[in-house]
C-alpha cells in the first residue's frame, strides 16, 4: 500500500526513534589506570633522595649554558657540513662516471658502517699514527704546510669529523632518494626548453626533491643534537661534560644531569617546530587540488590532533 | 625554374638507433620546411616517439645527423668534421626547438605563469617583466588567462596540455614537436587541445606531430608520414597517404584505425 518516495523527503508522520549511544566503559577504565600510575610515579619521584630545588640554578648556570652553546654549535656545524658533503656524494652516486659511483658507494659503506663513537675516537687519536699533518707534493721535499696533529685535532675537530662524516653518509642516501623521486619526465621537459644540467638540477629537480629530503633530514638533525653527547667522551665541553664538571665538585650528579636533560628537551622541541615550518614551506599547493590556502599552522594542527579548538583564538 | 627552394628548418638524415639487439630506427630521413605541419602516424612500437626524441637529441641516435636551422644537432662543424658539443652547448641548441609530451610534464612546483616564463627567463635570460606580458598573452590565446596563478595539480588534463603548449611556444622555437599530445586525455578534453594546435598551425607554426587523431591529420596536416618497424614506409600529401595509400602496410594500418 505504501508508495516508494523518490523526492528525498521524510515521510509525513514518521518520527525518528531515540538512539542510545554505546558507553565506552573500557576506555574510562584504562584512562583511570594510566592516571593512577602517573600519580604514583610522581609521588615516588618526590620521595627520592634528590634536591629538586637545586635544579633551576643549574639550568641557568654559566657552565651548563656554555655546554648548551657548544652542543648547538657542534650539531649545526656538523649537520650543515654533512648536508653539503651528502649532496656531493649523492651526485657522484647518480653520475655516469663509474669511478665516482664506486667512490660514493665505498664512502657510504665505510662511514655509515662504523659506530660514531668509534669514529670520534679514531679521529681524536690520529696523532698516534700521524704525528704531523703535511700538505705538499708526494715523493718530493716540497711541503706547503706542516702541522702538529695534536694542535689540529682538538676535541671539537675530532667530534665534528666523527659526527659530520657519519651523517654525510646518511645524507647522501637521503638526497639520492629525493633526487630519484623526481619523475624522469621533469628532466626531459627542462631539457626541451633548453635548460643546462646545472639549471635542471637547481630549478627543477632539487626543489621537487626537497619535500622528500626535508623530513628525514629534520629527524637526523634531532638525532645529531643528541649525538653530540658522544663528544663528552673525548672531553668536548658540551652539555653532558658540563654537567659532569659541576657534579665532580659537589656530587649532585642527578641534579646536573636533569638540568642537561631539560635543555635537550628544549632544543629538540625547537628543532621539531622548525622542521614543521620548513616542511610546510616546501609543501606547495601543487599536490593539493583545489585548495590554494596554506597548510594549517602548527597550533591549529596540534589542536586538531588533540581533537579540540585552538586554545588561543587567532586574530584574523 | 628560377625560384630557389627554401632551406628545411629540420632535417633528419639516415637516423639509426638500437637498444641492444633491438633495432628501433633504421635509416630514417625526413625534411620539414618552415610553416609545414607534418603528422607521423603508425602502429605502436614503430619507433615514432624514439624518432621524435632524436630530433631534439633527448635520445642520442647511433647513426645519422639531425640539422636544426642549418646547424648539426649536438655537434659543431669544424674543418669538415662534426665535433660533439658539451651538454651545456647542446642545451643552447635545444632552446631553439620545442616539445610537447604525452604526459604534459609540467613543473608541479611552479604556477601556470611560472611554467611558461621558466624558459624565456632562465634560458634566454630575458627580463621577467617583458616575458610576463608575452606569457600572459600566450596563455590568453590558449584560453587560460584566468589560471595564471594556479598550480598544474589544480588543472584538468586538457588545461595542463594547453599550458605545456604555451610553455613550448613561449621559447619562440623554430618548430614544435608533439608526441601524442592528446592520447593521455579523457575523450571530451581532446578537442580543446587539438583546437589550440590547429590555431598554431594557422598562424604558421612549423609542427611535427605524432598522433592517432586521423581527423586532425586530415584537417590540419600538409603532409603525412607513415612509420612502421623503425622506418618510414610512405609519406606524401594528406589526401594521397590517407585516401590512396600506395603501400599495402599503410592500407592495412589505416583500415584498422578507421574501422
Ligand atoms: N629506452 C628504451 N630502452 C629499450 N627499448 C626501448 C626504449 N625506448 C623504446 N624502446 C623500444 O623501441 C621500440 C619503439 O618504441 P617507440 O616508443 O619509439 O614506439 P612508438 O612508435 O612511439 O609506439 P607507441 O605508439 O606505442 O608510442 C619499442 O619496441 C620499444 O620497446
Ligand atoms: Mg610513442
Amino acid at each position: 500500500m505504501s508508495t516508494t518516495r523518490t523526492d528525498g523527503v521524510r515521510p509525513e508522520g514518521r518520527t525518528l526513534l531515540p538512539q542510545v549511544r554505546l558507553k565506552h566503559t573500557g576506555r574510562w577504565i584504562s584512562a583511570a589506570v594510566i592516571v593512577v600510575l602517573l600519580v604514583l610515579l610522581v609521588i615516588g619521584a618526590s620521595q627520592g633522595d634528590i634536591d629538586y630545588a637545586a635544579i633551576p640554578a643549574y639550568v641557568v648556570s654559566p657552565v651548563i649554558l656554555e655546554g648548551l652553546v657548544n652542543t648547538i654549535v657542534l650539531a649545526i656545524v656538523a649537520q650543515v657540513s654533512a648536508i653539503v658533503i651528502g649532496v656531493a656524494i649523492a651526485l657522484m652516486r647518480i653520475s655516469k662516471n663509474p669511478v665516482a659511483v664506486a667512490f660514493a658507494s665505498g664512502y657510504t659503506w665505510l662511514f655509515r658502517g662504523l659506530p660514531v663513537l668509534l669514529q670520534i675516537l679514531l679521529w681524536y687519536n690520529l696523532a698516534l699514527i700521524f704525528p704531523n699533518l703535511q700538505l705538499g707534493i708526494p715523493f718530493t721535499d716540497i711541503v706547503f704546510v706542516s702541522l702538529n696533529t695534536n694542535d689540529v685535532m682538538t676535541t671539537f675537530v675530532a667530534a665534528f669529523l666523527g659526527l659530520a662524516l657519519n651523517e654525510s653518509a646518511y645524507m647522501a642516501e637521503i638526497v639520492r632518494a629525493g633526487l630519484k623521486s623526481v619523475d624522469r619526465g621533469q628532466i626531459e621537459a627542462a631539457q626541451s626548453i633548453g635548460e643546462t644540467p646545472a639549471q635542471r638540477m637547481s630549478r627543477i629537480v632539487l626543489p621537487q626533491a626537497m619535500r622528500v629530503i626535508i623530513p628525514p633530514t629534520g629527524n637526523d638533525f634531532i638525532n645529531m643534537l643528541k649525538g653530540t653527547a658522544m663528544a663528552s667522551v673525548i672531553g668536548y665541553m658540551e652539555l653532558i661534560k658540563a654537567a659532569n664538571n659541576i657534579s665532580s665538585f659537589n656530587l649532585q650528579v642527578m641534579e646536573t644531569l636533569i638540568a642537561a636533560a631539560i635543555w635537550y628537551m628544549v632544543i629538540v622541541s625547537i628543532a621539531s617546530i622548525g622542521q614543521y615550518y620548513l616542511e610546510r614551506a616546501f609543501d606547495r599547493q601543487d599536490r593539493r587540488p583545489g585548495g590554494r590556502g596554506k597548510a594549517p599552522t602548527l597550533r591549529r594542527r596540534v589542536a586538531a590532533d588533540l581533537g579540540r579548538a585552538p586554545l588561543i583564538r587567532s586574530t584574523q | 625554374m628560377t625560384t630557389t627552394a627554401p632551406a628545411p628548418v629540420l632535417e633528419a638524415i639516415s637516423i639509426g638507433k638500437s637498444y641492444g639487439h633491438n633495432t628501433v630506427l633504421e635509416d630514417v630521413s625526413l625534411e620539414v620546411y618552415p610553416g609545414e605541419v607534418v603528422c607521423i602516424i603508425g602502429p605502436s612500437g614503430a619507433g615514432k616517439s624514439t624518432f621524435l626524441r632524436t630530433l631534439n637529441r633527448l635520445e642520442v641516435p647511433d647513426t645519422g645527423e639531425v640539422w636544426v636551422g642549418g646547424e648539426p644537432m649536438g655537434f659543431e662543424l669544424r674543418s669538415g668534421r662534426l665535433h660533439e658539443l658539451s651538454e651545456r652547448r647542446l642545451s643552447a641548441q635545444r632552446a631553439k626547438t620545442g616539445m610537447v609530451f604525452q604526459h604534459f610534464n609540467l613543473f608541479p612546483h611552479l604556477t601556470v605563469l611560472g611554467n611558461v616564463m621558466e624558459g624565456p627567463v632562465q634560458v634566454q635570460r630575458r627580463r621577467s617583466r617583458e616575458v610576463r606580458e608575452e606569457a600572459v598573452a600566450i596563455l590568453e590565446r590558449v584560453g587560460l588567462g584566468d589560471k595564471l596563478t594556479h598550480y598544474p595539480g589544480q588543472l584538468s588534463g586538457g588545461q595542463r596540455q594547453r599550458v605545456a603548449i604555451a610553455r613550448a611556444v613561449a621559447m619562440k622555437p623554430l618548430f614544435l614537436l608533439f608526441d601524442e599530445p592528446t592520447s593521455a586525455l579523457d575523450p571530451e578534453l581532446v578537442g580543446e587541445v587539438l583546437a589550440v594546435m590547429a590555431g598554431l598551425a594557422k598562424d604558421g607554426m612549423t609542427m611535427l606531430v605524432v598522433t592517432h587523431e586521423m581527423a586532425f591529420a586530415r584537417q590540419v596536416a600538409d603532409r603525412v608520414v607513415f612509420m612502421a618497424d623503425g622506418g618510414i614506409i610512405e609519406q606524401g600529401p594528406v589526401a594521397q597517404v590517407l585516401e590512396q595509400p600506395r603501400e599495402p602496410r599503410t592500407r592495412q594500418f589505416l583500415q584498422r584505425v578507421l574501422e
Side-chain angles (χ1 to χ4, degrees):
Chain A
M1 239 183 36
S2 66
T3 53
T4 313
R5 299 197 60 124
T6 54
D7 56 1
V9 175
R10 168 150 45 115
E12 228 153 300
R14 173 74 166 81
T15 50
L16 296 178
L17 299 171
Q19 299 177 350
V20 180
R21 294 293 164 135
L22 182 65
K23 289 193 179 61
H24 298 281
T25 323
R27 247 183 240 175
W28 283 101
I29 292 174
S30 44
V33 169
I34 292 170
V35 169
V36 167
L37 286 176
L38 281 178
V39 168
L40 288 176
L41 194 67
V42 169
I43 293 171
S46 68
Q47 287 170 348
D49 184 11
I50 185 166
D51 183 3
Y52 285 112
I55 294 175
Y58 288 134
V59 169
V60 293
S61 73
V63 179
I64 290 285
L65 289 180
E66 187 197 337
L68 171 69
V69 170
N70 285 341
T71 288
I72 294 172
V73 168
L74 177 58
I76 290 179
V77 172
Q79 188 69 42
V80 169
S81 310
I83 291 172
V84 173
I85 301 169
V87 169
I89 295 291
L91 291 177
M92 289 168 84
R93 188 75 189 261
I94 62 169
S95 78
K96 291 192 183 108
N97 184 337
V99 177
V101 173
F103 174 82
S105 311
Y107 181 97
T108 309
W109 172 76
L110 180 67
F111 287 108
R112 205 171 55 167
L114 295 175
V116 184
L117 184 55
L118 177 68
Q119 294 189 46
I120 292 175
L121 289 172
L122 287 175
W123 287 115
Y124 191 54
N125 293 300
L126 197 66
L128 297 178
I129 44 174
F130 301 115
N132 287 297
L133 297 176
Q134 294 186 343
L135 186 65
I137 299 172
F139 312 118
T140 64
D141 290 336
I142 304 170
V143 172
F144 302 119
V145 208
S146 176
L147 296 166
N148 185 322
T149 304
N150 275 328
D151 294 341
V152 178
M153 203 51 73
T154 61
T155 54
F156 174 81
V157 172
F160 162 73
L161 285 173
L163 290 166
L165 295 184
N166 173 259
E167 174 60 16
S168 71
Y170 282 96
M171 280 308 305
E173 291 298 292
I174 291 171
V175 172
R176 188 165 72 108
L179 296 179
K180 262 173 54 184
S181 75
V182 178
D183 182 39
R184 165 107 216 122
Q186 291 292 307
I187 298 168
E188 293 183 352
Q191 281 178 305
S192 79
I193 56 169
E195 292 202 335
T196 62
Q199 286 172 325
R200 268 142 38 196
M201 188 51 68
S202 65
R203 299 273 320 159
I204 306 302
V205 178
L206 270 182
Q208 293 183 63
M210 276 316 213
R211 60 193 322 148
V212 174
I213 292 174
I214 284 175
T217 303
N219 290 339
D220 276 18
F221 178 61
I222 287 167
N223 274 330
M224 178 66 84
L225 282 169
K226 295 178 291 179
T228 54
M230 280 180 282
S232 64
V233 172
I234 56 171
Y236 177 67
M237 255 293 273
E238 43 65 69
L239 270 172
I240 290 188
K241 173 76 173 143
N244 285 340
N245 275 5
I246 298 174
S247 59
S248 65
F249 283 107
N250 61 17
L251 302 181
Q252 291 206 305
V253 176
M254 283 302 270
E255 290 81 353
T256 52
L257 283 180
I258 289 173
I262 288 171
W263 276 120
Y264 278 117
M265 296 310 295
V266 169
I267 56 180
V268 165
S269 303
I270 293 173
S272 306
I273 294 170
Q275 178 184 13
Y276 175 79
Y277 279 100
L278 206 57
E279 274 177 40
R280 197 171 65 135
F282 275 91
D283 185 27
R284 303 274 178 117
Q285 292 93 326
D286 51 275
R287 297 262 170 95
R288 219 173 297 124
R292 289 197 55 224
K294 285 235 162 201
T297 61
L298 183 66
R299 203 181 74 238
R300 282 177 182 284
R301 197 189 63 156
V302 170
D305 285 350
L306 297 175
R308 56 172 165 69
L311 289 172
I312 313 156
R313 295 255 164 241
S314 72
T315 53
Q316 46 183 339
Chain B
M1 293 282 255
T2 50
T3 53
T4 51
V9 69
L10 170 63
E11 200 178 359
I13 308 168
S14 272
I15 301 297
K17 173 88 190 171
S18 27
Y19 294 105
H21 294 296
N22 182 13
T23 301
V24 176
L25 294 174
E26 205 175 352
D27 197 23
V28 182
S29 300
L30 183 71
E31 290 179 356
V32 179
Y33 292 89
E36 253 194 320
V37 176
V38 179
C39 282
I40 301 181
I41 59 171
S44 186
K48 307 181 297 294
S49 298
T50 308
F51 176 60
L52 207 67
R53 291 156 55 83
T54 62
L55 298 178
N56 63 356
R57 219 174 165 77
L58 283 187
E59 212 73 69
V60 177
D62 299 335
T63 58
E65 299 166 15
V66 174
W67 292 70
V68 169
E71 272 182 49
M73 196 67 189
F75 293 93
E76 184 179 33
L77 181 62
R78 268 186 281 134
S79 51
R81 282 163 184 262
L82 292 177
H83 298 263
E84 190 168 6
L85 290 178
S86 68
E87 183 73 23
R88 239 189 106 77
R89 293 189 55 196
L90 169 62
S91 301
Q93 281 186 328
R94 279 206 195 99
K96 296 180 203 160
T97 72
M99 187 171 231
V100 175
F101 301 86
Q102 183 175 358
H103 297 286
F104 331 129
N105 299 357
L106 290 180
F107 306 129
H109 59 302
L110 301 180
T111 60
V112 165
L113 195 57
N115 269 275
V116 178
M117 290 175 62
E118 176 72 13
V121 172
Q122 300 299 328
V123 177
Q124 295 173 335
R125 300 252 163 243
R126 293 173 52 204
R127 303 225 333 264
S128 82
R129 185 130 54 81
E130 72 180 51
V131 170
R132 176 183 299 266
E133 273 174 33
E134 270 180 31
V136 170
I138 295 170
L139 283 165
E140 276 167 359
R141 251 196 55 194
V142 301
L144 294 170
D146 57 337
K147 300 275 192 258
L148 302 180
T149 58
H150 280 58
Y151 284 85
Q154 301 169 295
L155 302 180
S156 74
Q159 292 171 330
R160 285 183 212 186
Q161 193 60 299
R162 286 185 278 150
V163 175
I165 293 173
R167 176 176 69 183
V169 168
M171 292 295 286
K172 299 181 181 146
L174 292 172
F175 53 81
L176 285 179
L177 306 170
F178 293 83
D179 190 2
E180 299 195 29
T182 58
S183 51
L185 297 176
D186 291 338
E188 74 269 22
L189 302 177
V190 169
E192 64 190 57
V193 172
L194 292 182
V196 166
M197 290 169 62
L200 284 176
K202 209 166 143 214
D203 291 354
M205 176 64 82
T206 311
M207 312 199 318
L208 187 54
V209 186
V210 174
T211 186
H212 292 300
E213 298 289 336
M214 292 300 152
F216 175 80
R218 197 167 284 131
Q219 285 162 26
V220 181
D222 300 304
R223 188 147 54 96
V224 171
V225 174
F226 174 68
M227 278 185 78
D229 296 332
I232 293 178
I233 305 291
E234 167 167 15
Q235 62 167 308
V238 187
Q240 187 229 299
V241 177
L242 294 188
E243 313 299 343
Q244 290 141 1
R246 274 192 296 255
E247 301 293 326
R249 290 233 36 190
T250 319
R251 227 170 291 146
Q252 230 176 38
F253 171 76
L254 286 173
Q255 253 165 25
R256 223 173 329 123
V257 209
L258 294 177
E259 256 161 26

